[in-house]
Amino acid sequence: MEPIKQRYSHQRETILQVVQSTLVHPNADSVYKETRKIIPNISLGTVYRNLNQLVESGRILKLKDEAMVRYDGNTGQHDHFRCSKCGKWYDVELIDQSIFKSFAEKHDFRIESFNLELAGTCKSCLDS
Amino acid sequence: MEPIKQRYSHQRETILQVVQSTLVHPNADSVYKETRKIIPNISLGTVYRNLNQLVESGRILKLKDEAMVRYDGNTGQHDHFRCSKCGKWYDVELIDQSIFKSFAEKHDFRIESFNLELAGTCKSCLDS
DNA sequence: AAACATAACAGTAACTATTACTATTTTCTT
DNA sequence: AAGAAAATAGTAATAGTTACTGTTATGTTT
């Protein structure tokens, strides 16, 4: 079976730009709202489909809120801290991914992804 | 304002028992199905309400699947590995929580919870 | 022990995030 | 320029969860 051909799409590139141009870790709906400022009649289904494709092709990352799925334009190695008071996500550097390698070898698992999420209260919420 | 009084409820205790008596990290719906074997006319809303209360009171833990929320009767320190092939969750000991303490102090955050989830393929799925 | 206040309930409707469907348009190759 | 199929807009459907409503169970106070 051949690899699926991916054609150029103005909508997909716009969505990618929207996700990459912010640090707020938007969810699908706010990507939709933001993209509609550029392509007013874009469909919500198109946004979901393209966000999933962008994740599959490794161009963006998927995070998880309480219930909602969120996206991150930064694909570099980092972890996440979420403030439960203001709801903001912080990118943090906490864990060296290499520790998972020895873990996988020890247990005979193959690790494909990992996700470390801390939650709590951030400095600015603690101060105010 | 007074602390909210929590009354005894047969349903809640049964739900707790169901969650504590398994290692499969059930989701709300399967807790519902299992509890109905004991209380046949229990309502799905009652299951959700009580699962949330049990989480709030620290008696069970909340995990996150791709979309579904899952629950864990084991509140001790451990992390999670999920096999993307068979869907099973494994409890693993990977990270010493004390590393978060120094992180919190350094950044002036207050950490209230953390969640480390690894995903990949487990040994038995790799073998078969 | 009877009366009271309200937490918890069962059953159902509503809501939110996401996916599926369909007819049309766009992209790319020949 | 024509043809194949990837992608689209718009809408309907689905899944997980919460909200609502009238009734029942629990615990407290007379």
Side-chain angles (χ1 to χ4, degrees):
Chain A
M1 43 190 180
E2 306 239 338
I4 300 140
K5 280 169 209 153
Q6 192 168 79
R7 294 184 181 169
Y8 171 85
S9 135
H10 176 50
Q11 285 85 343
R12 187 185 303 126
E13 292 308 311
T14 305
I15 288 163
L16 178 58
Q17 265 183 276
V18 165
V19 176
Q20 281 177 339
S21 67
T22 178
L23 294 170
V24 303
H25 303 81
N27 62 11
D29 195 60
S30 80
V31 171
Y32 172 57
K33 284 189 180 119
E34 201 60 31
T35 307
R36 267 205 306 190
K37 292 182 186 169
I38 305 163
I39 308 173
N41 71 329
I42 195 170
S43 158
L44 181 59
T46 298
V47 171
Y48 272 104
R49 181 167 19 81
N50 280 301
L51 284 171
N52 285 335
Q53 284 181 249
L54 290 166
V55 170
E56 277 164 34
S57 61
R59 288 195 279 177
I60 63 176
L61 290 181
K62 212 175 194 174
L63 307 182
K64 280 165 276 169
D65 202 345
E66 279 307 295
M68 268 185 287
V69 174
R70 289 176 169 266
Y71 298 90
D72 188 354
N74 171 13
T75 56
Q77 170 177 330
H78 66 288
D79 308 307
H80 294 97
F81 175 89
R82 188 168 56 85
C83 178
S84 55
K85 213 163 184 187
C86 65
K88 205 189 275 185
W89 288 81
Y90 292 85
D91 290 347
V92 298
E93 283 205 83
L94 186 50
I95 291 202
D96 183 354
Q97 293 186 23
S98 63
I99 67 166
F100 300 130
K101 217 179 272 180
S102 58
F103 172 80
E105 282 166 8
K106 191 175 154 196
H107 290 274
D108 276 325
F109 288 160
R110 187 201 296 145
I111 291 181
E112 285 150 11
S113 74
F114 76 97
N115 185 32
L116 173 60
E117 288 178 13
L118 301 171
T121 313
C122 71
K123 183 172 163 50
S124 69
C125 282
L126 283 173
D127 289 348
S128 60
Chain B
M1 42 190 182
E2 307 238 341
I4 302 141
K5 280 169 207 152
Q6 191 167 80
R7 295 182 180 170
Y8 170 83
S9 133
H10 176 50
Q11 285 85 343
R12 188 185 303 125
E13 292 308 312
T14 305
I15 288 163
L16 177 59
Q17 264 183 275
V18 165
V19 176
Q20 282 178 339
S21 67
T22 179
L23 295 170
V24 302
H25 303 81
N27 62 9
D29 195 61
S30 78
V31 172
Y32 172 55
K33 285 189 179 118
E34 201 60 31
T35 307
R36 268 205 306 189
K37 293 181 185 170
I38 306 164
I39 307 172
N41 70 329
I42 196 171
S43 158
L44 181 59
T46 298
V47 171
Y48 272 104
R49 181 166 20 80
N50 280 300
L51 284 172
N52 286 336
Q53 283 181 247
L54 289 167
V55 170
E56 277 164 34
S57 61
R59 288 195 279 176
I60 62 176
L61 290 180
K62 213 176 195 175
L63 307 182
K64 280 164 276 166
D65 202 345
E66 279 307 295
M68 270 186 286
V69 174
R70 289 176 169 266
Y71 299 88
D72 188 354
N74 172 13
T75 56
Q77 169 176 331
H78 67 286
D79 307 308
H80 294 97
F81 175 88
R82 187 167 57 85
C83 177
S84 55
K85 214 164 184 188
C86 65
K88 205 189 273 182
W89 288 82
Y90 292 85
D91 291 347
V92 298
E93 284 204 83
L94 186 50
I95 292 202
D96 183 356
Q97 292 186 22
S98 63
I99 68 166
F100 300 130
K101 217 180 268 180
S102 58
F103 172 80
E105 282 166 8
K106 189 175 155 197
H107 290 275
D108 275 324
F109 287 161
R110 187 202 295 146
I111 291 181
E112 285 149 10
S113 75
F114 73 97
N115 185 31
L116 171 60
E117 285 180 18
L118 301 173
T121 312
C122 71
K123 183 172 165 47
S124 69
C125 282
L126 283 174
D127 289 348
S128 59

